[in-house]
Amino acid sequence: MLAGTASVLLAIALIRLWDRWRRPRPGARLLESPLQPMIFLFRDRRLLDATAPARHLLERIGAPDSDWARLAGWIGPRFPGLDLVGRVAAETRIEVEGETGAGSARLRLLAEDLGEGVLRITLTDPEADHAGIVVDSLSQQAMEEELELLRRALDQTPMLVWRQDAQDRITWANAAYLRRAETLSEGELGWPLPRLLDSPKPVPGAGTSTRRAPLESDGVVSWYDCHSHAAGDQVMMFALPADAAVRAERSLREFVQTLTKTFADLPIGLAIFDRQRNLQLFNPALIDLTGLPTGFLTARPTLFDFLDRLREMRMVPEPRDFRSWRQQMNNLESAAATGHHVETWSLPGGQTYRVTGRPHPDGAVAFLFEDITSEISLTRKFRAELLLGTHVLNGIEDALAVFGTGGQLAISNEAYDRLWGEKSASLPEALQLWRSRIEPGPGFAALGQALSLPEGEPQDQGAMSGPDGRLLGWTVTRLGGGRRMVRFRAPELRQEREAEAAGNGHAPAEARADLAVAGQK
């Protein structure tokens, strides 16, 4: 009996020890990290609930804002051709397996219709089924794909990207940097990589520093815009190709130099003021025309200081008072800023300037000063000669009219206006006017024929009946350039005027002699 009782007690003790050995310890249970499946609950495409791995996946996907759109955009490439909503509505429950992803995971999707518009979606890794657990391989796959995308983007970018430590040693570089380093190196590359560009160091507190640096290879210089960003104890460098910008800046400088040389040779004074109305550009002709000191112009005076200095040097029209002068200059500035404006300045010294104001981009305004004294003198002389010619024509007793190549009336004298009463704009209108004032006959027909012929005798003449019934002689003279001059004279009227002048003692000697002989007879 004692032996049996001892055996039973020993067996019970062994059973309790075995059970205690198999039961997990409290500390070990706290160290376990229970894995949760990736499950999404949607109602009418609105997220109701999701497990922690599922929410983590949605956060990793990012845009767009809708949870359903984000999940659908992520599932679509991995399950091509899957109509999730349509198949669930038709079959209530579907289970599909996706294609092999970019990482180590292959996906299985389980979608179930729970009724009342609730849809449950479960994503699992089938390779973890044999272990009896659900691994969060989807988040791992998303990170692997994002990492692969970033690597490809950095390797395919044309700019040079590298990282260097506090001792300026290169600890990482992209494919473009490695290719350029291999081209410039004579042997095999080793770590740390050689520095290709004199890149700037980030300024504390500024965040980013920029510098343009050259890189010479086989006698060809390439330019890069280098940007540095502090990343902890190291610095990230980005070098963007700037050859196009350098060529554009060089072309711009050459263009500006060409314009500067052109402006220097212009006889017209040029003054360009910016939107704050400060002088930014002028040429030597401005100094020659205005007499302003070079130091005054290089100090970039304002527009009104510039005009006031011209007024002090008597290089502007003399105003009646200072108020009218200031108003006139304000009008000049506003008119030049809004559109093309031209003024003529008659200076006290006898010179005449043409001042032109033109608006420029960004609110700037340019003024051109041109000396037109010789032009004005020539115009005045020409006008005086025209006036003299007009007086000479009006002093001739015969009626004169000159018609141009196209038959337009070019000039006529006062005797012509008195004879016919009015002027005609063209030769056809003049012929019609003459026909209406006289009795047409052979003489008028011969006149019309002489005027209608473009070429013929240098001079044709004849006679016809005048407006008052007296005999009227006419002469057609062909001038240079296809112009024709018509001359009308009345012999009887001329004799009467000569007789009247002889009675007043103003007749010519021959006329007075004829009248004396007639008196003796």
Side-chain angles (χ1 to χ4, degrees):
M1 292 178 63
L2 292 174
T5 301
S7 300
V8 171
L9 293 175
L10 180 60
I12 293 173
L14 291 175
I15 292 172
R16 288 185 176 181
L17 289 175
W18 175 260
D19 184 57
R20 182 178 298 178
W21 179 76
R22 290 187 58 186
R23 185 180 302 172
R25 291 172 296 174
R29 182 175 301 176
L30 294 176
L31 295 176
E32 291 180 358
S33 57
L35 297 177
Q36 300 180 8
M38 189 170 293
I39 301 176
F40 306 85
L41 285 180
F42 288 93
R43 172 178 288 172
D44 298 331
R45 300 190 179 185
R46 290 179 56 189
L47 183 64
L48 297 179
D49 196 6
T51 58
R55 293 188 181 276
H56 181 65
L57 177 63
L58 291 178
E59 294 174 358
R60 295 288 299 177
I61 295 174
D65 297 334
S66 172
D67 295 326
W68 175 264
R70 280 187 284 178
L71 182 61
W74 189 84
I75 290 177
R78 294 159 177 80
F79 297 88
L82 175 62
D83 183 9
L84 182 61
V85 178
R87 288 191 57 181
V88 170
E91 304 177 16
T92 307
R93 184 180 186 276
I94 62 170
E95 185 175 356
V96 292
E97 188 170 309
E99 298 179 354
T100 302
S104 60
R106 188 177 55 179
L107 306 181
R108 177 180 298 167
L109 185 145
L110 175 63
E112 300 171 284
D113 186 5
L114 303 182
E116 298 181 358
V118 178
L119 177 65
R120 181 170 64 183
I121 300 175
T122 305
L123 295 174
T124 57
D125 182 5
E127 295 180 358
D129 288 348
H130 301 288
I133 59 175
V134 179
V135 180
D136 189 9
S137 59
L138 302 182
S139 299
Q140 178 185 357
Q141 181 179 356
M143 289 186 290
E144 290 178 355
E145 290 179 353
E146 184 177 2
L147 179 61
E148 181 68 18
L149 177 62
L150 293 177
R151 286 176 177 173
R152 290 182 180 179
L154 287 176
D155 289 340
Q156 294 175 2
T157 182
M159 64 179 176
L160 310 182
V161 184
W162 70 97
R163 183 181 60 189
Q164 60 189 36
D165 56 13
Q167 288 75 31
D168 294 338
R169 295 175 299 185
I170 297 178
T171 58
W172 175 87
N174 68 337
Y177 190 96
L178 295 176
R179 288 192 298 267
R180 200 62 188 267
E182 290 176 355
T183 303
L184 296 177
S185 63
E186 298 179 357
E188 296 184 357
L189 289 177
W191 291 90
L193 295 174
R195 293 184 59 187
L196 302 181
L197 296 170
D198 186 12
S199 54
K201 294 184 178 180
V203 179
T208 304
S209 298
T210 304
R211 177 189 299 172
R212 180 166 292 175
L215 177 61
E216 185 176 357
S217 174
D218 298 332
V220 179
V221 179
S222 301
W223 290 89
Y224 291 88
D225 287 333
C226 301
H227 303 265
S228 62
H229 300 267
D233 297 336
Q234 299 191 358
V235 180
M236 290 295 301
M237 299 291 182
F238 303 88
L240 283 71
D243 293 335
V246 171
R247 288 194 297 268
E249 292 175 358
R250 186 182 298 113
S251 300
L252 180 60
R253 287 195 300 268
E254 294 175 354
F255 180 70
V256 171
Q257 291 176 359
T258 303
L259 288 181
T260 303
K261 294 178 181 179
T262 304
F263 291 157
D265 297 334
L266 282 178
I268 301 175
L270 174 67
I272 299 180
F273 297 86
D274 57 15
R275 65 182 307 171
Q276 284 78 28
R277 298 298 178 263
N278 293 321
L279 182 63
Q280 295 294 331
L281 179 65
F282 66 93
N283 63 342
L286 182 68
I287 302 176
D288 299 335
L289 292 175
T290 61
L292 293 174
T294 306
F296 172 75
L297 296 176
T298 54
R300 295 186 178 182
T302 63
L303 174 59
F304 290 104
D305 292 339
F306 175 80
L307 296 175
D308 288 339
R309 192 64 176 268
L310 289 179
R311 179 174 176 266
E312 294 175 1
M313 300 181 65
R314 298 174 59 87
M315 296 303 296
V316 295
E318 190 66 29
R320 291 176 297 180
D321 53 16
F322 183 78
R323 180 176 297 178
S324 62
W325 152 256
R326 178 60 68 179
Q327 183 63 36
Q328 181 183 358
M329 293 302 101
N330 289 333
N331 296 337
L332 174 64
E333 188 270 339
S334 59
T338 56
H340 182 73
H341 180 71
V342 180
E343 284 188 1
T344 301
W345 288 1
S346 298
L347 304 182
Q351 296 175 311
T352 304
Y353 283 1
R354 179 189 292 122
V355 181
T356 306
R358 295 177 179 270
H360 273 228
D362 198 21
V365 63
F367 289 95
L368 305 176
F369 296 85
E370 183 180 1
D371 188 358
I372 58 172
T373 305
S374 58
E375 179 182 344
I376 294 297
S377 300
L378 182 62
T379 302
R380 290 172 180 172
K381 182 179 179 181
F382 182 69
R383 288 178 180 176
E385 292 179 355
L386 287 179
L387 184 60
L388 177 60
T390 303
H391 288 324
V392 172
L393 288 177
N394 292 333
I396 298 176
E397 295 181 355
D398 295 340
L400 296 176
V402 179
F403 296 92
T405 306
Q408 301 296 324
L409 179 63
I411 191 173
S412 63
N413 61 352
E414 294 180 354
Y416 179 87
D417 298 338
R418 288 194 304 266
L419 177 63
W420 298 108
E422 60 179 278
K423 291 183 179 181
S424 302
S426 62
L427 181 57
E429 294 179 2
L431 290 173
Q432 185 177 1
L433 174 64
W434 301 341
R435 184 183 295 108
S436 64
R437 298 293 178 87
I438 65 173
E439 295 181 2
F444 180 77
L447 174 62
Q449 184 177 3
L451 289 173
S452 62
L453 296 176
E455 297 180 359
E457 296 295 333
Q459 189 175 28
D460 293 332
Q461 59 184 358
M464 65 180 186
S465 176
D468 53 359
R470 297 182 182 182
L471 183 64
L472 185 65
W474 56 265
T475 303
V476 176
T477 305
R478 289 175 174 82
L479 307 177
R483 293 182 292 269
R484 287 159 289 182
M485 180 180 69
V486 183
R487 181 173 183 174
F488 299 98
R489 60 184 179 278
E492 297 179 0
L493 183 60
R494 182 176 183 182
Q495 293 177 1
E496 292 179 358
R497 291 181 178 176
E498 290 176 353
E500 182 180 357
N504 296 332
H506 300 291
E510 296 179 357
R512 290 198 297 269
D514 294 340
L515 290 175
V517 173
Q520 292 177 359
K521 292 181 179 179

